[in-house]
Amino acid sequence: MAASPSSSAQQARRALADRLTELCRDAGLTGLELALRCGWSRSKSSRIMNARTPPSEDDIRAWCAACGAGGQAEDLIAMLRIAEGMWVEWRRMERAGLKRAQEARLPLFERTRRFRSYSSWLVPGLLQTRSYTEAVLRAVQRRRVAVDDVAEAVAVRMERQRVLREGGRRFAFLIEESVLRNGIGGSEVQLEQLDHMRTLGALPNISLGVVPMRPDRSRMPVEGFWIFDTAQVNVELVSGHLTITQPSEITMYAETFAELADVALHGAAAHELIASAAGAME
């Protein structure tokens, strides 16, 4: 499992290690005895028990069999998969192409009713035009994905945007002013994108804020993130995709969002910034 900067992932690994340790103790085994039954070194059992090394699915099956608890193996494997899914490198998530990665997120978007999104790099996906999405995903594909299914992935993302108008959902988007001027896809694509944001920003269930560039700024930009209700935060880093479910961490991101919202411009003021960015490209 890749190392994660999140305590959510660490706690998930720790919970799995604790369950395995309990099985060992309930079976009346020491770590050495369990290692002997599994044909491992003693140090391997110790590393797993102390959450220093994640077990494989086969390790879990062998552990449960050694403890006479084979019926618990599948539940523990499910715990392992959840822990692994909290931090996923892009190369692993996108090894089958971009379409599947886009499809995997749809259930989360469908069950969420309140969305909060902060973006310091790009226009958030739900606000993107088809041309902008194509430019973004094509750049991603060229950089790190061997499979070229960009057209299919674009179609999936466009279809996902129906959540903007279904189910009484609420959306709050914050973007850095630099996002308005980064030129993704060229000036024609960017101009269309800026006009599209003004249109969506007028919808009653959408709040659009722009964090302005200023010389006296006190709140630093941070990594882009999505908050889904109060259940989950997703963070997209250069190296991978992070899922956060620990309540204390979700609170930290919610507080950060609120602080950024306080310094952002909304309504007519935000639209003026967008119009200014568009005017500079014409």
Short mmCIF file of all heavy atoms in Angstrom, two decimals, residues 82-141:
data_model
loop_
_atom_site.label_atom_id
_atom_site.label_comp_id
_atom_site.label_asym_id
_atom_site.label_seq_id
_atom_site.Cartn_x
_atom_site.Cartn_y
_atom_site.Cartn_z
N ILE A 82 -10.64 -1.35 1.67
CA ILE A 82 -11.06 0.02 2.03
C ILE A 82 -9.84 0.85 2.38
O ILE A 82 -9.69 2.00 1.94
CB ILE A 82 -12.05 -0.02 3.20
CG1 ILE A 82 -13.40 -0.59 2.73
CG2 ILE A 82 -12.26 1.38 3.78
CD1 ILE A 82 -14.38 -0.86 3.85
N ALA A 83 -8.95 0.28 3.20
CA ALA A 83 -7.74 1.01 3.59
C ALA A 83 -6.88 1.34 2.37
O ALA A 83 -6.36 2.45 2.24
CB ALA A 83 -6.94 0.20 4.60
N GLU A 84 -6.75 0.38 1.47
CA GLU A 84 -5.96 0.62 0.26
C GLU A 84 -6.59 1.68 -0.62
O GLU A 84 -5.90 2.47 -1.25
CB GLU A 84 -5.83 -0.68 -0.53
CG GLU A 84 -4.89 -1.70 0.11
CD GLU A 84 -4.79 -2.97 -0.72
OE1 GLU A 84 -5.79 -3.32 -1.37
OE2 GLU A 84 -3.73 -3.60 -0.68
N GLY A 85 -7.92 1.72 -0.64
CA GLY A 85 -8.62 2.66 -1.50
C GLY A 85 -8.54 4.09 -1.03
O GLY A 85 -8.87 5.01 -1.79
N MET A 86 -8.11 4.32 0.21
CA MET A 86 -8.02 5.69 0.71
C MET A 86 -6.88 6.46 0.06
O MET A 86 -6.90 7.68 0.00
CB MET A 86 -7.87 5.69 2.23
CG MET A 86 -9.14 5.28 2.94
SD MET A 86 -8.99 5.34 4.72
CE MET A 86 -10.70 5.06 5.20
N TRP A 87 -5.86 5.75 -0.38
CA TRP A 87 -4.77 6.40 -1.10
C TRP A 87 -4.45 5.56 -2.31
O TRP A 87 -4.02 4.41 -2.20
CB TRP A 87 -3.53 6.53 -0.21
CG TRP A 87 -2.33 7.00 -0.99
CD1 TRP A 87 -1.23 6.28 -1.32
CD2 TRP A 87 -2.14 8.29 -1.58
NE1 TRP A 87 -0.36 7.04 -2.07
CE2 TRP A 87 -0.89 8.28 -2.24
CE3 TRP A 87 -2.93 9.45 -1.62
CZ2 TRP A 87 -0.40 9.38 -2.92
CZ3 TRP A 87 -2.43 10.55 -2.31
CH2 TRP A 87 -1.18 10.52 -2.93
N VAL A 88 -4.68 6.11 -3.49
CA VAL A 88 -4.48 5.37 -4.73
C VAL A 88 -3.62 6.21 -5.67
O VAL A 88 -3.96 7.35 -5.99
CB VAL A 88 -5.82 5.04 -5.43
CG1 VAL A 88 -5.58 4.16 -6.65
CG2 VAL A 88 -6.78 4.36 -4.47
N GLU A 89 -2.50 5.64 -6.09
CA GLU A 89 -1.68 6.33 -7.06
C GLU A 89 -2.42 6.40 -8.40
O GLU A 89 -3.16 5.49 -8.76
CB GLU A 89 -0.35 5.59 -7.24
CG GLU A 89 0.55 5.65 -6.03
CD GLU A 89 1.86 4.93 -6.25
OE1 GLU A 89 1.88 4.00 -7.09
OE2 GLU A 89 2.85 5.31 -5.60
N TRP A 90 -2.20 7.50 -9.13
CA TRP A 90 -2.87 7.66 -10.42
C TRP A 90 -2.57 6.49 -11.35
O TRP A 90 -3.46 6.03 -12.07
CB TRP A 90 -2.43 8.97 -11.08
CG TRP A 90 -2.89 10.20 -10.38
CD1 TRP A 90 -2.11 11.22 -9.91
CD2 TRP A 90 -4.24 10.59 -10.08
NE1 TRP A 90 -2.88 12.18 -9.33
CE2 TRP A 90 -4.19 11.84 -9.43
CE3 TRP A 90 -5.48 9.99 -10.30
CZ2 TRP A 90 -5.32 12.49 -8.99
CZ3 TRP A 90 -6.62 10.65 -9.86
CH2 TRP A 90 -6.54 11.88 -9.22
N ARG A 91 -1.34 6.02 -11.36
CA ARG A 91 -1.00 4.95 -12.29
C ARG A 91 -1.79 3.68 -12.01
O ARG A 91 -2.06 2.89 -12.92
CB ARG A 91 0.51 4.66 -12.24
CG ARG A 91 1.01 4.16 -10.89
CD ARG A 91 2.52 3.97 -10.93
NE ARG A 91 3.02 3.53 -9.63
CZ ARG A 91 4.31 3.29 -9.38
NH1 ARG A 91 5.20 3.47 -10.35
NH2 ARG A 91 4.70 2.89 -8.19
N ARG A 92 -2.17 3.50 -10.76
CA ARG A 92 -2.99 2.34 -10.42
C ARG A 92 -4.45 2.60 -10.76
O ARG A 92 -5.15 1.76 -11.32
CB ARG A 92 -2.85 2.02 -8.93
CG ARG A 92 -3.73 0.88 -8.44
CD ARG A 92 -3.50 0.65 -6.96
NE ARG A 92 -4.58 -0.10 -6.36
CZ ARG A 92 -4.82 -0.12 -5.06
NH1 ARG A 92 -4.07 0.56 -4.23
NH2 ARG A 92 -5.82 -0.81 -4.58
N MET A 93 -4.93 3.80 -10.43
CA MET A 93 -6.34 4.13 -10.68
C MET A 93 -6.65 4.19 -12.17
O MET A 93 -7.74 3.81 -12.61
CB MET A 93 -6.67 5.48 -10.03
CG MET A 93 -8.10 5.94 -10.27
SD MET A 93 -8.46 7.53 -9.45
CE MET A 93 -8.62 7.00 -7.75
N GLU A 94 -5.66 4.62 -12.97
CA GLU A 94 -5.92 4.87 -14.38
C GLU A 94 -5.27 3.85 -15.31
O GLU A 94 -5.22 4.06 -16.51
CB GLU A 94 -5.41 6.28 -14.73
CG GLU A 94 -6.12 7.37 -13.95
CD GLU A 94 -5.44 8.72 -14.05
OE1 GLU A 94 -4.27 8.76 -14.46
OE2 GLU A 94 -6.07 9.73 -13.70
N ARG A 95 -4.83 2.73 -14.75
CA ARG A 95 -4.11 1.77 -15.59
C ARG A 95 -5.00 1.18 -16.68
O ARG A 95 -4.51 0.74 -17.74
CB ARG A 95 -3.51 0.66 -14.73
CG ARG A 95 -4.52 -0.18 -13.97
CD ARG A 95 -3.81 -1.09 -12.98
NE ARG A 95 -4.75 -1.77 -12.08
CZ ARG A 95 -4.39 -2.40 -10.98
NH1 ARG A 95 -3.11 -2.46 -10.64
NH2 ARG A 95 -5.29 -2.98 -10.22
N ALA A 96 -6.32 1.14 -16.46
CA ALA A 96 -7.24 0.63 -17.49
C ALA A 96 -7.82 1.75 -18.34
O ALA A 96 -8.69 1.51 -19.16
CB ALA A 96 -8.37 -0.16 -16.83
N GLY A 97 -7.34 2.97 -18.14
CA GLY A 97 -7.84 4.10 -18.90
C GLY A 97 -8.58 5.10 -18.04
O GLY A 97 -8.88 4.85 -16.87
N LEU A 98 -8.91 6.25 -18.63
CA LEU A 98 -9.55 7.34 -17.89
C LEU A 98 -11.06 7.13 -17.74
O LEU A 98 -11.66 7.62 -16.79
CB LEU A 98 -9.28 8.66 -18.59
CG LEU A 98 -7.82 9.13 -18.57
CD1 LEU A 98 -7.63 10.34 -19.47
CD2 LEU A 98 -7.40 9.47 -17.14
N LYS A 99 -11.67 6.42 -18.66
CA LYS A 99 -13.12 6.22 -18.59
C LYS A 99 -13.51 5.51 -17.30
O LYS A 99 -14.43 5.93 -16.59
CB LYS A 99 -13.62 5.43 -19.80
CG LYS A 99 -15.12 5.14 -19.74
CD LYS A 99 -15.55 4.22 -20.88
CE LYS A 99 -17.04 3.87 -20.75
NZ LYS A 99 -17.46 2.91 -21.79
N ARG A 100 -12.83 4.42 -16.99
CA ARG A 100 -13.18 3.66 -15.81
C ARG A 100 -12.99 4.48 -14.54
O ARG A 100 -13.79 4.40 -13.60
CB ARG A 100 -12.36 2.38 -15.74
CG ARG A 100 -12.76 1.45 -14.59
CD ARG A 100 -12.07 0.11 -14.69
NE ARG A 100 -12.45 -0.61 -15.90
CZ ARG A 100 -11.96 -1.79 -16.24
NH1 ARG A 100 -11.06 -2.39 -15.48
NH2 ARG A 100 -12.38 -2.39 -17.35
N ALA A 101 -11.93 5.28 -14.49
CA ALA A 101 -11.69 6.13 -13.33
C ALA A 101 -12.82 7.14 -13.16
O ALA A 101 -13.24 7.45 -12.03
CB ALA A 101 -10.35 6.84 -13.46
N GLN A 102 -13.32 7.68 -14.27
CA GLN A 102 -14.45 8.62 -14.20
C GLN A 102 -15.72 7.92 -13.74
O GLN A 102 -16.48 8.44 -12.92
CB GLN A 102 -14.66 9.27 -15.57
CG GLN A 102 -13.54 10.19 -16.02
CD GLN A 102 -13.39 11.42 -15.16
OE1 GLN A 102 -14.38 12.03 -14.74
NE2 GLN A 102 -12.16 11.79 -14.87
N GLU A 103 -15.97 6.74 -14.26
CA GLU A 103 -17.18 5.99 -13.90
C GLU A 103 -17.19 5.62 -12.43
O GLU A 103 -18.25 5.59 -11.79
CB GLU A 103 -17.29 4.73 -14.75
CG GLU A 103 -17.62 4.98 -16.21
CD GLU A 103 -17.57 3.72 -17.05
OE1 GLU A 103 -16.83 2.78 -16.68
OE2 GLU A 103 -18.29 3.67 -18.08
N ALA A 104 -16.02 5.33 -11.87
CA ALA A 104 -15.95 4.89 -10.48
C ALA A 104 -16.43 5.96 -9.51
O ALA A 104 -16.87 5.64 -8.40
CB ALA A 104 -14.50 4.50 -10.14
N ARG A 105 -16.40 7.22 -9.92
CA ARG A 105 -16.79 8.30 -9.01
C ARG A 105 -18.28 8.61 -9.07
O ARG A 105 -18.79 9.34 -8.20
CB ARG A 105 -16.00 9.57 -9.36
CG ARG A 105 -14.50 9.39 -9.28
CD ARG A 105 -13.77 10.67 -9.60
NE ARG A 105 -12.34 10.43 -9.78
CZ ARG A 105 -11.45 11.39 -10.02
NH1 ARG A 105 -11.85 12.63 -10.12
NH2 ARG A 105 -10.18 11.09 -10.17
N LEU A 106 -18.97 8.11 -10.07
CA LEU A 106 -20.37 8.48 -10.26
C LEU A 106 -21.25 8.16 -9.05
O LEU A 106 -22.05 9.02 -8.63
CB LEU A 106 -20.93 7.82 -11.52
CG LEU A 106 -22.37 8.17 -11.87
CD1 LEU A 106 -22.55 9.68 -12.00
CD2 LEU A 106 -22.80 7.46 -13.15
N PRO A 107 -21.18 6.98 -8.43
CA PRO A 107 -22.05 6.71 -7.28
C PRO A 107 -21.88 7.72 -6.15
O PRO A 107 -22.87 8.09 -5.50
CB PRO A 107 -21.62 5.30 -6.84
CG PRO A 107 -21.07 4.67 -8.08
CD PRO A 107 -20.38 5.78 -8.80
N LEU A 108 -20.66 8.17 -5.91
CA LEU A 108 -20.42 9.17 -4.86
C LEU A 108 -21.14 10.47 -5.19
O LEU A 108 -21.79 11.07 -4.33
CB LEU A 108 -18.92 9.41 -4.70
CG LEU A 108 -18.50 10.52 -3.74
CD1 LEU A 108 -18.99 10.23 -2.33
CD2 LEU A 108 -16.98 10.69 -3.76
N PHE A 109 -21.06 10.90 -6.44
CA PHE A 109 -21.73 12.13 -6.84
C PHE A 109 -23.25 11.97 -6.76
O PHE A 109 -23.96 12.92 -6.40
CB PHE A 109 -21.31 12.52 -8.26
CG PHE A 109 -19.99 13.23 -8.32
CD1 PHE A 109 -18.80 12.54 -8.17
CD2 PHE A 109 -19.94 14.60 -8.53
CE1 PHE A 109 -17.58 13.18 -8.21
CE2 PHE A 109 -18.72 15.26 -8.58
CZ PHE A 109 -17.54 14.55 -8.42
N GLU A 110 -23.76 10.82 -7.09
CA GLU A 110 -25.21 10.61 -7.08
C GLU A 110 -25.79 10.59 -5.67
O GLU A 110 -26.93 11.04 -5.47
CB GLU A 110 -25.54 9.29 -7.79
CG GLU A 110 -25.33 9.36 -9.30
CD GLU A 110 -25.64 8.04 -9.99
OE1 GLU A 110 -25.48 6.98 -9.35
OE2 GLU A 110 -26.05 8.08 -11.17
N ARG A 111 -25.04 10.10 -4.68
CA ARG A 111 -25.60 10.03 -3.33
C ARG A 111 -25.33 11.29 -2.50
O ARG A 111 -25.88 11.43 -1.40
CB ARG A 111 -25.06 8.81 -2.60
CG ARG A 111 -23.57 8.81 -2.29
CD ARG A 111 -23.21 7.59 -1.46
NE ARG A 111 -21.79 7.50 -1.17
CZ ARG A 111 -20.91 6.78 -1.86
NH1 ARG A 111 -21.33 6.06 -2.88
NH2 ARG A 111 -19.64 6.75 -1.51
N THR A 112 -24.53 12.20 -3.01
CA THR A 112 -24.20 13.42 -2.27
C THR A 112 -25.27 14.48 -2.52
O THR A 112 -25.77 14.63 -3.63
CB THR A 112 -22.82 13.94 -2.69
OG1 THR A 112 -21.83 12.94 -2.39
CG2 THR A 112 -22.46 15.22 -1.94
N ARG A 113 -25.61 15.23 -1.48
CA ARG A 113 -26.60 16.30 -1.60
C ARG A 113 -25.97 17.69 -1.43
O ARG A 113 -26.47 18.66 -1.95
CB ARG A 113 -27.72 16.11 -0.56
CG ARG A 113 -28.62 14.92 -0.88
CD ARG A 113 -29.37 15.15 -2.18
NE ARG A 113 -30.16 14.00 -2.62
CZ ARG A 113 -29.73 13.10 -3.48
NH1 ARG A 113 -28.51 13.17 -3.97
NH2 ARG A 113 -30.50 12.10 -3.86
N ARG A 114 -24.87 17.76 -0.72
CA ARG A 114 -24.19 19.05 -0.55
C ARG A 114 -22.73 18.91 -0.97
O ARG A 114 -21.99 18.12 -0.41
CB ARG A 114 -24.26 19.52 0.91
CG ARG A 114 -23.63 20.90 1.12
CD ARG A 114 -23.49 21.23 2.58
NE ARG A 114 -22.90 22.55 2.79
CZ ARG A 114 -22.38 22.97 3.93
NH1 ARG A 114 -22.40 22.18 5.01
NH2 ARG A 114 -21.85 24.18 4.03
N PHE A 115 -22.34 19.67 -1.97
CA PHE A 115 -21.00 19.63 -2.51
C PHE A 115 -20.26 20.93 -2.17
O PHE A 115 -20.81 22.03 -2.33
CB PHE A 115 -21.02 19.51 -4.04
CG PHE A 115 -21.60 18.25 -4.58
CD1 PHE A 115 -22.98 18.06 -4.62
CD2 PHE A 115 -20.79 17.24 -5.07
CE1 PHE A 115 -23.53 16.91 -5.15
CE2 PHE A 115 -21.32 16.08 -5.60
CZ PHE A 115 -22.69 15.91 -5.64
N ARG A 116 -19.03 20.80 -1.74
CA ARG A 116 -18.14 21.95 -1.59
C ARG A 116 -16.84 21.61 -2.31
O ARG A 116 -16.24 20.57 -2.05
CB ARG A 116 -17.87 22.26 -0.12
CG ARG A 116 -19.04 22.95 0.59
CD ARG A 116 -18.86 22.99 2.09
NE ARG A 116 -19.11 21.66 2.68
CZ ARG A 116 -18.99 21.39 3.97
NH1 ARG A 116 -18.59 22.33 4.81
NH2 ARG A 116 -19.27 20.18 4.42
N SER A 117 -16.42 22.49 -3.20
CA SER A 117 -15.24 22.21 -4.00
C SER A 117 -14.34 23.44 -4.03
O SER A 117 -14.81 24.55 -4.29
CB SER A 117 -15.64 21.84 -5.43
OG SER A 117 -14.51 21.77 -6.27
N TYR A 118 -13.05 23.22 -3.77
CA TYR A 118 -12.06 24.28 -3.90
C TYR A 118 -11.02 23.83 -4.92
O TYR A 118 -10.52 22.71 -4.86
CB TYR A 118 -11.37 24.55 -2.56
CG TYR A 118 -10.09 25.36 -2.70
CD1 TYR A 118 -10.13 26.73 -2.97
CD2 TYR A 118 -8.85 24.75 -2.60
CE1 TYR A 118 -8.97 27.46 -3.11
CE2 TYR A 118 -7.68 25.47 -2.75
CZ TYR A 118 -7.74 26.83 -3.01
OH TYR A 118 -6.58 27.55 -3.15
N SER A 119 -10.72 24.69 -5.87
CA SER A 119 -9.76 24.34 -6.91
C SER A 119 -8.73 25.45 -7.08
O SER A 119 -9.08 26.61 -7.29
CB SER A 119 -10.47 24.11 -8.25
OG SER A 119 -9.53 23.75 -9.24
N SER A 120 -7.47 25.05 -6.97
CA SER A 120 -6.38 26.00 -7.17
C SER A 120 -5.68 25.78 -8.51
O SER A 120 -4.77 26.55 -8.86
CB SER A 120 -5.36 25.86 -6.04
OG SER A 120 -4.93 24.51 -5.90
N TRP A 121 -6.08 24.74 -9.24
CA TRP A 121 -5.42 24.39 -10.50
C TRP A 121 -6.32 24.55 -11.71
O TRP A 121 -5.93 25.15 -12.70
CB TRP A 121 -4.94 22.93 -10.47
CG TRP A 121 -3.98 22.58 -9.39
CD1 TRP A 121 -3.30 23.44 -8.58
CD2 TRP A 121 -3.57 21.26 -9.00
NE1 TRP A 121 -2.50 22.74 -7.70
CE2 TRP A 121 -2.64 21.40 -7.93
CE3 TRP A 121 -3.90 19.99 -9.44
CZ2 TRP A 121 -2.04 20.30 -7.31
CZ3 TRP A 121 -3.30 18.90 -8.83
CH2 TRP A 121 -2.38 19.06 -7.78
N LEU A 122 -7.52 23.96 -11.63
CA LEU A 122 -8.39 23.84 -12.80
C LEU A 122 -9.83 24.22 -12.44
O LEU A 122 -10.20 24.23 -11.27
CB LEU A 122 -8.40 22.39 -13.32
CG LEU A 122 -7.07 21.78 -13.74
CD1 LEU A 122 -7.24 20.27 -13.91
CD2 LEU A 122 -6.59 22.40 -15.04
N VAL A 123 -10.63 24.47 -13.46
CA VAL A 123 -12.07 24.61 -13.25
C VAL A 123 -12.60 23.25 -12.77
O VAL A 123 -12.26 22.21 -13.35
CB VAL A 123 -12.77 25.01 -14.56
CG1 VAL A 123 -14.29 24.99 -14.39
CG2 VAL A 123 -12.29 26.39 -15.01
N PRO A 124 -13.41 23.22 -11.70
CA PRO A 124 -13.94 21.94 -11.22
C PRO A 124 -14.71 21.19 -12.30
O PRO A 124 -15.38 21.80 -13.14
CB PRO A 124 -14.88 22.36 -10.07
CG PRO A 124 -14.33 23.67 -9.61
CD PRO A 124 -13.82 24.35 -10.85
N GLY A 125 -14.62 19.86 -12.28
CA GLY A 125 -15.18 19.04 -13.33
C GLY A 125 -16.65 19.29 -13.61
O GLY A 125 -17.09 19.27 -14.76
N LEU A 126 -17.45 19.52 -12.57
CA LEU A 126 -18.88 19.72 -12.78
C LEU A 126 -19.19 21.03 -13.51
O LEU A 126 -20.29 21.21 -14.04
CB LEU A 126 -19.63 19.70 -11.44
CG LEU A 126 -19.78 18.35 -10.76
CD1 LEU A 126 -20.53 18.49 -9.43
CD2 LEU A 126 -20.49 17.35 -11.66
N LEU A 127 -18.23 21.95 -13.55
CA LEU A 127 -18.42 23.23 -14.21
C LEU A 127 -17.77 23.29 -15.59
O LEU A 127 -17.87 24.30 -16.28
CB LEU A 127 -17.86 24.37 -13.35
CG LEU A 127 -18.46 24.55 -11.96
CD1 LEU A 127 -17.80 25.75 -11.27
CD2 LEU A 127 -19.97 24.75 -12.03
N GLN A 128 -17.11 22.23 -15.99
CA GLN A 128 -16.33 22.26 -17.22
C GLN A 128 -17.20 22.11 -18.47
O GLN A 128 -18.17 21.36 -18.49
CB GLN A 128 -15.28 21.14 -17.21
CG GLN A 128 -14.17 21.35 -16.20
CD GLN A 128 -13.20 20.18 -16.16
OE1 GLN A 128 -13.29 19.25 -16.96
NE2 GLN A 128 -12.26 20.22 -15.22
N THR A 129 -16.79 22.78 -19.53
CA THR A 129 -17.37 22.54 -20.85
C THR A 129 -16.76 21.27 -21.43
O THR A 129 -15.74 20.77 -20.95
CB THR A 129 -17.08 23.71 -21.81
OG1 THR A 129 -15.66 23.79 -22.01
CG2 THR A 129 -17.60 25.03 -21.26
N ARG A 130 -17.38 20.78 -22.47
CA ARG A 130 -16.84 19.58 -23.12
C ARG A 130 -15.42 19.84 -23.65
O ARG A 130 -14.53 19.01 -23.50
CB ARG A 130 -17.76 19.14 -24.25
CG ARG A 130 -17.28 17.90 -24.99
CD ARG A 130 -18.27 17.48 -26.06
NE ARG A 130 -19.51 16.99 -25.45
CZ ARG A 130 -19.72 15.74 -25.05
NH1 ARG A 130 -18.77 14.83 -25.19
NH2 ARG A 130 -20.88 15.39 -24.53
N SER A 131 -15.21 20.99 -24.27
CA SER A 131 -13.90 21.29 -24.86
C SER A 131 -12.83 21.41 -23.79
O SER A 131 -11.70 20.94 -23.96
CB SER A 131 -13.97 22.57 -25.68
OG SER A 131 -14.84 22.43 -26.78
N TYR A 132 -13.19 22.04 -22.68
CA TYR A 132 -12.23 22.20 -21.57
C TYR A 132 -11.89 20.83 -20.97
O TYR A 132 -10.72 20.51 -20.71
CB TYR A 132 -12.83 23.12 -20.52
CG TYR A 132 -11.87 23.54 -19.42
CD1 TYR A 132 -11.19 24.76 -19.49
CD2 TYR A 132 -11.68 22.76 -18.29
CE1 TYR A 132 -10.34 25.17 -18.47
CE2 TYR A 132 -10.82 23.15 -17.26
CZ TYR A 132 -10.16 24.36 -17.36
OH TYR A 132 -9.32 24.76 -16.35
N THR A 133 -12.92 20.01 -20.76
CA THR A 133 -12.70 18.65 -20.24
C THR A 133 -11.80 17.86 -21.16
O THR A 133 -10.89 17.16 -20.71
CB THR A 133 -14.04 17.92 -20.05
OG1 THR A 133 -14.81 18.58 -19.05
CG2 THR A 133 -13.83 16.47 -19.63
N GLU A 134 -12.05 17.96 -22.46
CA GLU A 134 -11.23 17.22 -23.41
C GLU A 134 -9.77 17.68 -23.33
O GLU A 134 -8.85 16.85 -23.38
CB GLU A 134 -11.76 17.41 -24.83
CG GLU A 134 -11.00 16.60 -25.86
CD GLU A 134 -11.63 16.67 -27.25
OE1 GLU A 134 -12.64 17.37 -27.42
OE2 GLU A 134 -11.07 16.03 -28.17
N ALA A 135 -9.55 18.98 -23.20
CA ALA A 135 -8.18 19.49 -23.10
C ALA A 135 -7.49 18.99 -21.83
O ALA A 135 -6.32 18.59 -21.86
CB ALA A 135 -8.18 21.02 -23.14
N VAL A 136 -8.23 18.99 -20.72
CA VAL A 136 -7.66 18.54 -19.45
C VAL A 136 -7.33 17.06 -19.49
O VAL A 136 -6.22 16.63 -19.14
CB VAL A 136 -8.64 18.84 -18.29
CG1 VAL A 136 -8.18 18.15 -17.01
CG2 VAL A 136 -8.75 20.34 -18.07
N LEU A 137 -8.30 16.25 -19.91
CA LEU A 137 -8.08 14.81 -19.91
C LEU A 137 -7.06 14.37 -20.96
O LEU A 137 -6.33 13.40 -20.75
CB LEU A 137 -9.41 14.08 -20.12
CG LEU A 137 -10.43 14.24 -18.98
CD1 LEU A 137 -11.66 13.38 -19.25
CD2 LEU A 137 -9.83 13.89 -17.63
N ARG A 138 -6.98 15.10 -22.06
CA ARG A 138 -5.96 14.77 -23.06
C ARG A 138 -4.57 15.04 -22.48
O ARG A 138 -3.64 14.24 -22.68
CB ARG A 138 -6.17 15.61 -24.32
CG ARG A 138 -5.10 15.42 -25.39
CD ARG A 138 -5.00 13.97 -25.84
NE ARG A 138 -6.21 13.53 -26.51
CZ ARG A 138 -6.47 12.26 -26.83
NH1 ARG A 138 -5.61 11.31 -26.48
NH2 ARG A 138 -7.59 11.92 -27.43
N ALA A 139 -4.43 16.12 -21.73
CA ALA A 139 -3.13 16.41 -21.11
C ALA A 139 -2.77 15.34 -20.08
O ALA A 139 -1.62 14.91 -19.99
CB ALA A 139 -3.17 17.78 -20.45
N VAL A 140 -3.77 14.88 -19.32
CA VAL A 140 -3.54 13.81 -18.35
C VAL A 140 -3.13 12.53 -19.06
O VAL A 140 -2.17 11.85 -18.67
CB VAL A 140 -4.81 13.57 -17.50
CG1 VAL A 140 -4.68 12.29 -16.69
CG2 VAL A 140 -5.07 14.76 -16.59
N GLN A 141 -3.85 12.19 -20.11
CA GLN A 141 -3.56 10.95 -20.84
C GLN A 141 -2.14 10.96 -21.43
O GLN A 141 -1.40 9.98 -21.32
CB GLN A 141 -4.60 10.76 -21.95
CG GLN A 141 -4.50 9.42 -22.69
CD GLN A 141 -3.59 9.49 -23.90
OE1 GLN A 141 -3.56 10.51 -24.60
NE2 GLN A 141 -2.83 8.43 -24.13
#
